Amino acid sequence: MSAVAAARANPLLKSLPPFLTWPHLRFRTICSGRLGFAPSDPDHPVAGTKLLDSFKEEFEIGTSLITLETGKIARFANGAVVLGTGETKVLSTVAASKGDALRDFLPLTVDYQEKQFAQSLIPTTFMRREGAPKERELLCGRLIDRPIRPLFPHGFYHEVQVMASVLSSDGRHDPDVMAANATSAALMLSDIPWGGPIGMIRIGRIDGHFIVNPTMDELSLSDLNLVYACTKEKTLMIDVQAREITEKDLEAGLRMAHPEAVKYLEPQIRLAAKAGKQKKEYQLSMLSQKTLEKVGTLAEANIKAVFTDPSYGKFERGEALENIMQDVKQQLELEGDEEIIKILPKAIDTVRKQVVRKRIITEGYRLDGRHLDEVRPIYCEAGHLPILHGSALFNRGDTQVLCTVTLGAPQDAQRLDAIVGPSTKRFMLHYSFPPFCINEVGKRTGLNRREVGHGTLAEKALLAVLPPEDEFKYTVRINSEVMASDGSTSMATVCGGSIALMDAGIPLREHVAGVSVGLVSEVDSTGEITDYRILTDILGLEDHLGDMDFKIAGTRSGITAIQLDIKPAGIPLDIVCESLEAARKGRLQILEHMEREISTPRSKDDRNAPRLASLRYSNDALRRLIGPLGAIRKKIEEETGARLSVSDETLTIVAKNQNVMDKVLEKVDSIIGREITVGGIYKGVVTSIKEYGAFVEFGGGQYGLLHISELSHEPVTRISDLLSIGQQISVMCIEQDVRGNIKLSLKRMSPRSASLEVDAITPEVNVSDFIVSKETSANAQSLASSDSTQLDAKSVADLLSQAVSTLEDSSTSSPDFRIRSVAECDEEEERFKSTSNKLWSSKLKQSQDSCSSSSTFNVVPDVKDETKAKGPISAKNLKLGTTVTAKVHQIRALGLVLDLGGGVRGMYRFKDHGKTDYAVGDELRVTCTSFSSKGIPVMSLENDD
């Protein structure tokens, strides 16, 4: 007990004789009932020992031991309490101004602060000190403000400041609820008039079981985060974030939370009895009954005419009320009543409140003529701004919000510098309430507590339906711009945000809608509610004149977010639970309108939609991509406008559209290459050509071999006929050995030539590998010498059909055909494709140009007197020493280009003093002596020395 309290308790202490006073007895001071001794030798003074005594209360709630302590620190504050749970301690102090209250509202300020010393860290800012309040600090301040504000007496307009500071944190307990309970205890100790105490509790739910005061680890597993504040009998504040919890389950949680929160009250009362101050008599600014009666006589009829006429809009009602007030003011000026004129605005507002509330209670009609459970007309528009990732316009009555969605890279996530909770946040909703939305002039400043609170409520509501981070890696930002406000803009933000998310193609499970429920009640002289009405989808004025603003958001399956604020000193929990059903019915009506506009996430297949890609690389490769001090990555981002995010062996790219993504991937591939997998198709550049194939580079020092056999389904003589150095091609990886050697294929990217089909054959058909018998050859000659000068497709089909039939009917000993394995057939078929096509075309042309019976029609090439070549000439069976009869195809300065048959070209170099006067078409007997570096056969004449 303090010295002042002791003197007040025992008046005799004020009139002690001098020899019994503390200085005479060498007592120097008194501190919380304990005396400090003065120095023993006045001539040699030394510092005495100051004893700081404190008062403490300990109690248990759930599994936590909680302590309330006062008297040791912040002794000059009007009230100061340290509340501790585990190693987390929070200090809350209160103070009130001493002057007169020359205002008509309560200027209550609540400041909550989390400094980094509480977790033994130095701030990472440039100045190495805490700056402006962070979002979490503003939200915690609102959480404290909302339940304590209604308990100050009516007419108490003195300035009050609450400051809550986290002294230490163990990371296991969230200090926000602790700060609210410490503030309640500090107000109880102070001399400020206040109708407390209050208790605040947090409830979680894991596997269907409710948990009181869950730790942060338990809260991460919980599908419910319920914060509940109350007095002994009534509810003051509710804040909920949930994963679609049903109304029935939420009611069970609320009814469990109330008795647990009440456990905080008795320790505060005991502490106040030990160390509390006597409440001070403050002057209250109250309207007298005589003043209300006089203003009511002058204005009530006109106010009733305006505020019971649904044809008046928001601003029309405001202008009409201003005119009524001016008329009353003129009447009071004639009467010379200056005292009432000073408080006339407040008196007029009180009369208006009585008129509106009475009509709702007695008649069941509201300002705009709606029934109590009626929702205002709704307008939804998805894709209002088509160029953006997602957008929506949502109207409910005169309230209008424009919501936009922006998708970003994982590195765009917000970094949180909080004592507890996650370190980043990938989903953000920023709510903006510009002055023009209520036709006012104002200044845009920094973070606004109301805007932060409304945006966080909508963010909680939508977070429950977002896909998990491992399935949807984008960072998502919603901007909600209030275009017009006439009540419940935060719930309109929930609706507009849900539509905009689906317009952006984000796979939401289902739509989320929100509605605000109000309350109008009548009370008796003791303050107990005798009659009440619940209002669905309240207007701004109904919020101002009513008793509560109960914002509830959710899906068809359940509730995702709640925020309850009230104006009286508490309302019964039964009324709160009854309001849940009214909100559910209103929410379902709104969801029907939203689903008619857009019911599933929009498909964003167009090239202007944002793109995200996650690629796996080694950390060494990622270091090459980042470059010194991130220079290479920054350059790519500046040149393309994309965002690159690097984590452990993962590269995440977010691009504005597909074109940008293609550019980024091309640059990344050129620096570090790509992970090559069998069956994948990749772009590369031909860097060198050899006799056996070409080497293709993919970037980042990755090379693959494109063998000559994998170039085309057709036989290839020279690689240079198809490829050139520096050419960009797309190839398929068909093999990769343990040493990383990559084998590529070009022909496997295109389908193999179709099999022989008699009913659809054309003159350019690829002939399968078979040997035509003498009978078939004779039929061909007969066909060629027929009266027809044109060999049509049907005739060719008949010919081939006979050939196939002949093969099927021949005996195994016939010398006209051979039996091969499947592998041999495939190899020979590939070899003869080009030769057969060229022969068919050549013979068909001969048969059309000449009708003589001497024409021949052979499938095999006409190579006469071959001594070493077996079968048709091709790139595969042409070997060193092979002798063939060739024709001069071209004459060059240093030699000849020879046609070896089967589409194969060779070259012959003139000898010194040899013959050079050849003509195109001359036949020569030549032998293959070598091959050039490009795979071209080098031939020599049979009679060359």
Side-chain angles (χ1 to χ4, degrees):
M1 184 180 298
S2 65
V4 177
R8 187 181 296 117
N10 189 355
L12 294 177
L13 294 176
K14 297 181 179 180
S15 57
L16 291 175
F19 64 89
L20 292 178
T21 60
W22 293 333
H24 185 78
L25 297 174
R26 296 173 52 211
F27 287 123
R28 187 173 184 179
T29 183
I30 182 168
C31 302
S32 300
R34 295 285 300 275
L35 297 179
F37 291 92
S40 57
D41 188 357
D43 297 331
H44 299 85
V46 294
T49 302
K50 189 170 186 176
L51 303 178
L52 300 179
D53 209 352
S54 62
F55 300 92
K56 182 183 292 188
E57 288 290 334
E58 293 185 352
F59 56 100
E60 289 186 3
I61 295 181
T63 59
S64 302
L65 176 64
I66 301 172
T67 62
L68 292 171
E69 185 177 6
T70 186
K72 182 172 288 187
I73 62 175
R75 296 167 55 81
F76 283 175
N78 203 327
V81 170
V82 175
L83 187 146
T85 301
E87 295 301 324
T88 301
K89 296 184 182 298
V90 180
L91 167 68
S92 184
T93 62
V94 297
S97 63
K98 306 299 188 294
D100 295 332
L102 302 177
R103 55 184 71 87
D104 60 353
F105 66 95
L106 172 62
L108 172 64
T109 303
V110 178
D111 293 322
Y112 172 90
Q113 192 172 30
E114 293 178 345
K115 291 193 174 183
Q116 292 300 304
F117 72 78
Q119 51 182 345
S120 302
L121 293 177
I122 295 175
T124 57
T125 61
F126 178 77
M127 299 298 294
R128 296 299 186 267
R129 62 186 304 164
E130 289 75 15
K134 298 183 285 289
E135 282 191 14
R136 171 176 163 81
E137 293 174 328
L138 296 179
L139 293 171
C140 292
R142 282 173 55 87
L143 198 70
I144 300 169
D145 183 298
R146 288 157 52 195
I148 67 174
R149 185 179 290 271
L151 299 182
F152 286 94
H154 292 291
F156 179 79
Y157 299 146
H158 292 265
E159 187 174 3
V160 178
Q161 185 177 36
V162 175
M163 299 192 69
S165 303
V166 181
L167 301 181
S168 65
S169 173
D170 56 11
R172 299 184 66 251
H173 302 90
D174 197 326
D176 55 355
V177 171
M178 300 171 59
N181 288 301
T183 300
S184 173
L187 285 168
M188 291 293 293
L189 293 174
S190 71
D191 62 10
I192 303 171
W194 188 63
I198 69 166
M200 184 180 289
I201 198 79
R202 173 174 270 113
I203 300 293
R205 189 179 71 164
I206 301 177
D207 297 331
H209 300 288
F210 291 109
I211 301 174
V212 179
N213 282 341
T215 63
M216 297 304 300
D217 292 337
E218 292 172 333
L219 204 57
S220 64
L221 303 175
S222 173
D223 63 355
L224 173 67
N225 185 358
L226 165 63
V227 178
Y228 180 86
C230 63
T231 60
K232 186 175 183 179
E233 297 178 349
K234 295 182 179 180
T235 300
L236 289 169
M237 189 274 299
I238 298 174
D239 198 276
V240 172
Q241 179 180 0
R243 299 174 190 168
E244 299 178 278
I245 187 172
T246 64
E247 283 76 7
K248 182 178 179 181
D249 290 344
L250 180 60
E251 180 178 348
L254 292 173
R255 295 195 181 279
M256 176 187 177
H258 188 91
E260 294 294 332
V262 169
K263 294 179 181 180
Y264 280 96
L265 306 185
E266 189 60 32
Q268 296 181 49
I269 295 173
R270 294 197 301 265
L271 187 65
K274 296 177 182 178
K277 299 178 181 178
Q278 184 176 351
K279 296 300 180 182
K280 184 178 177 181
E281 295 294 334
Y282 287 86
Q283 182 179 357
L284 304 180
S285 301
M286 302 290 290
L287 292 176
S288 65
Q289 189 64 29
K290 180 180 178 180
T291 299
L292 289 176
E293 290 176 356
K294 186 171 184 177
V295 174
T297 302
L298 297 174
E300 183 174 354
N302 294 332
I303 291 176
K304 187 174 182 180
V306 172
F307 287 86
T308 57
D309 186 352
S311 63
Y312 280 85
K314 174 178 179 176
F315 295 104
E316 288 80 2
R317 284 192 293 265
E319 293 175 0
L321 185 66
E322 181 65 25
N323 294 333
I324 293 172
M325 187 167 62
Q326 293 301 325
D327 293 341
V328 174
K329 183 177 180 180
Q330 291 178 4
Q331 185 67 27
L332 293 175
E333 287 175 348
L334 293 176
E335 297 176 5
D337 198 338
E338 295 296 332
E339 293 298 325
I340 297 181
I341 291 177
K342 292 180 181 179
I343 58 174
L344 182 59
K346 186 176 181 180
I348 289 289
D349 185 70
T350 303
V351 173
R352 177 181 62 171
K353 182 176 181 178
Q354 293 172 349
V355 169
V356 173
R357 291 169 65 93
K358 183 177 180 181
R359 182 172 185 248
I360 292 174
I361 291 289
T362 58
E363 302 178 19
Y365 286 98
R366 299 158 67 174
L367 289 171
D368 53 0
R370 284 183 294 149
H371 294 286
L372 300 181
D373 59 350
E374 187 176 349
V375 178
R376 288 174 285 175
I378 294 172
Y379 170 79
C380 307
E381 181 184 345
H384 180 70
L385 302 172
I387 197 173
L388 302 184
H389 295 168
S391 62
L393 191 66
F394 182 84
N395 283 63
R396 183 167 56 225
D398 289 332
T399 295
Q400 182 184 67
V401 296
L402 173 65
C403 291
T404 61
V405 172
T406 306
L407 303 179
Q411 70 182 35
D412 293 328
Q414 181 182 0
R415 291 186 177 90
L416 303 178
D417 195 13
I419 288 180
V420 294
S423 58
T424 59
K425 183 169 69 171
R426 72 181 183 104
F427 175 60
M428 299 162 282
L429 193 150
H430 296 155
Y431 168 97
S432 179
F433 191 90
F436 68 78
C437 71
I438 52 175
N439 195 27
E440 290 185 359
V441 177
K443 182 183 295 185
R444 299 295 295 164
T445 56
L447 286 177
N448 180 282
R449 291 175 182 248
R450 180 181 178 276
E451 291 181 339
V452 171
H454 281 35
T456 301
L457 174 62
E459 183 181 293
K460 291 178 181 177
L462 295 171
L463 188 61
V465 297
L466 283 179
E469 187 172 359
D470 56 349
E471 298 178 8
F472 189 79
K473 298 182 180 298
Y474 289 94
T475 294
V476 182
R477 183 192 184 211
I478 296 180
N479 274 84
S480 174
E481 304 292 327
V482 180
M483 299 288 107
S485 174
D486 191 13
S488 195
T489 53
S490 60
M491 295 296 96
T493 295
V494 173
C495 302
S498 180
I499 297 173
L501 287 171
M502 283 205 174
D503 180 62
I506 298 176
L508 301 186
R509 289 203 300 273
E510 54 182 319
H511 267 310
V512 182
V515 67
S516 187
V517 176
L519 176 70
V520 173
S521 62
E522 286 186 348
V523 296
D524 56 19
S525 58
T526 63
E528 295 298 323
I529 295 178
T530 58
D531 198 6
Y532 65 90
R533 299 289 184 272
I534 296 174
L535 314 179
T536 302
D537 185 21
I538 57 175
L539 297 171
L541 188 57
E542 290 171 337
D543 180 12
H544 173 68
L545 303 178
D547 295 332
M548 79 172 182
D549 182 10
F550 196 6
K551 301 180 179 71
I552 306 173
T555 65
R556 290 186 178 274
S557 304
I559 294 171
T560 59
I562 281 180
Q563 179 177 296
L564 170 65
D565 296 321
I566 65 170
K567 295 182 180 66
I571 57 176
L573 183 57
D574 292 337
I575 296 179
V576 174
C577 295
E578 183 182 346
S579 302
L580 294 175
E581 181 60 24
R584 188 187 70 84
K585 293 179 180 178
R587 185 171 75 247
L588 294 180
Q589 296 179 43
I590 300 169
L591 285 171
E592 289 179 2
H593 287 271
M594 295 168 60
E595 290 167 353
R596 283 200 294 267
E597 174 64 19
I598 180 172
S599 58
T600 57
R602 198 182 302 280
S603 175
K604 290 288 184 178
D605 293 334
D606 59 288
R607 295 187 63 83
N608 290 325
R611 295 289 188 267
L612 183 144
S614 292
L615 307 174
R616 300 284 295 178
Y617 294 104
S618 66
N619 287 328
D620 291 336
L622 293 177
R623 290 188 191 100
R624 296 200 306 271
L625 175 65
I626 295 173
L629 301 177
I632 298 178
R633 181 176 67 176
K634 291 178 182 177
K635 183 179 180 181
I636 295 176
E637 292 179 338
E638 291 173 358
E639 292 177 350
T640 62
R643 299 286 185 89
L644 277 66
S645 176
V646 177
S647 58
D648 186 27
E649 296 188 345
T650 302
L651 171 65
T652 304
I653 305 172
V654 177
K656 187 176 182 180
N657 51 49
Q658 186 61 46
N659 292 332
V660 175
M661 177 62 77
D662 294 340
K663 293 179 182 178
V664 176
L665 290 176
E666 183 178 351
K667 290 181 178 294
V668 172
D669 292 347
S670 66
I671 297 173
I672 61 175
R674 297 187 63 181
E675 182 182 1
I676 306 299
T677 59
V678 176
I681 298 175
Y682 307 96
K683 288 183 178 180
V685 178
V686 178
T687 57
S688 65
I689 297 177
K690 305 296 182 182
E691 296 87 350
Y692 49 84
F695 286 95
V696 181
E697 182 184 7
F698 302 105
Q702 292 177 299
Y703 290 88
L705 173 63
L706 177 59
H707 194 267
I708 188 172
S709 62
E710 295 292 339
L711 279 173
S712 173
H713 292 292
E714 311 296 335
V716 177
T717 304
R718 292 182 300 181
I719 300 177
S720 58
D721 290 342
L722 299 178
L723 301 177
S724 60
I725 296 177
Q727 180 180 351
Q728 188 177 55
I729 59 174
S730 294
V731 291
M732 177 186 291
C733 174
I734 59 175
E735 185 180 336
Q736 189 171 12
D737 61 23
V738 294
R739 292 175 294 179
N741 297 325
I742 300 170
K743 186 176 181 181
L744 307 173
S745 175
L746 190 62
K747 69 179 184 181
R748 300 194 190 187
M749 294 179 57
S750 59
R752 195 179 185 88
S753 301
S755 299
L756 179 64
E757 295 180 1
V758 173
D759 58 343
I761 196 168
T762 65
E764 292 78 25
V765 69
N766 293 326
V767 181
S768 300
D769 180 22
F770 60 86
I771 300 177
V772 183
S773 67
K774 297 177 182 179
E775 180 183 355
T776 305
S777 179
N779 291 336
Q781 292 178 9
S782 174
L783 180 64
S785 60
S786 64
D787 295 336
S788 174
T789 60
Q790 183 176 2
L791 190 63
D792 58 9
K794 186 176 185 306
S795 301
V796 177
D798 293 339
L799 170 64
L800 294 178
S801 178
Q802 294 177 22
V804 173
S805 177
T806 301
L807 286 175
E808 293 175 349
D809 296 338
S810 299
S811 63
T812 57
S813 60
S814 173
D816 294 328
F817 69 94
R818 300 191 301 270
I819 297 178
R820 297 185 175 94
S821 66
V822 175
E824 290 173 336
C825 290
D826 289 342
E827 182 178 358
E828 291 298 322
E829 180 182 0
E830 182 179 344
R831 229 168 61 196
F832 286 165
K833 275 179 186 175
S834 177
T835 303
S836 302
N837 283 339
K838 295 179 185 299
L839 288 173
W840 275 109
S841 300
S842 173
K843 295 303 180 181
L844 287 174
K845 188 175 185 305
Q846 291 177 16
S847 64
Q848 293 171 2
D849 294 340
S850 175
C851 297
S852 63
S853 60
S854 61
S855 301
T856 59
F857 194 77
N858 296 320
V859 177
V860 297
D862 186 15
V863 181
K864 302 175 182 178
D865 301 327
E866 282 188 305
T867 60
K868 295 184 180 180
K870 295 181 180 180
I873 293 298
S874 69
K876 284 192 174 181
N877 68 0
L878 182 63
K879 300 179 180 179
L880 295 176
T882 302
T883 302
V884 297
T885 299
K887 291 183 179 181
V888 177
H889 181 69
Q890 288 181 355
I891 301 175
R892 303 287 180 87
L894 300 179
L896 305 176
V897 177
L898 303 176
D899 183 2
L900 305 180
V904 180
R905 299 284 189 268
M907 64 180 182
Y908 168 74
R909 185 180 294 275
F910 292 147
K911 301 295 184 180
D912 294 339
H913 309 293
K915 181 179 178 181
T916 59
D917 54 341
Y918 295 97
V920 175
D922 289 349
E923 291 188 354
L924 303 174
R925 292 288 290 177
V926 293
T927 303
C928 180
T929 58
S930 65
F931 291 89
S932 72
S933 61
K934 304 297 184 181
I936 300 173
V938 178
M939 315 300 291
S940 65
L941 294 178
E942 233 179 11
N943 55 0
D944 278 355
D945 291 334

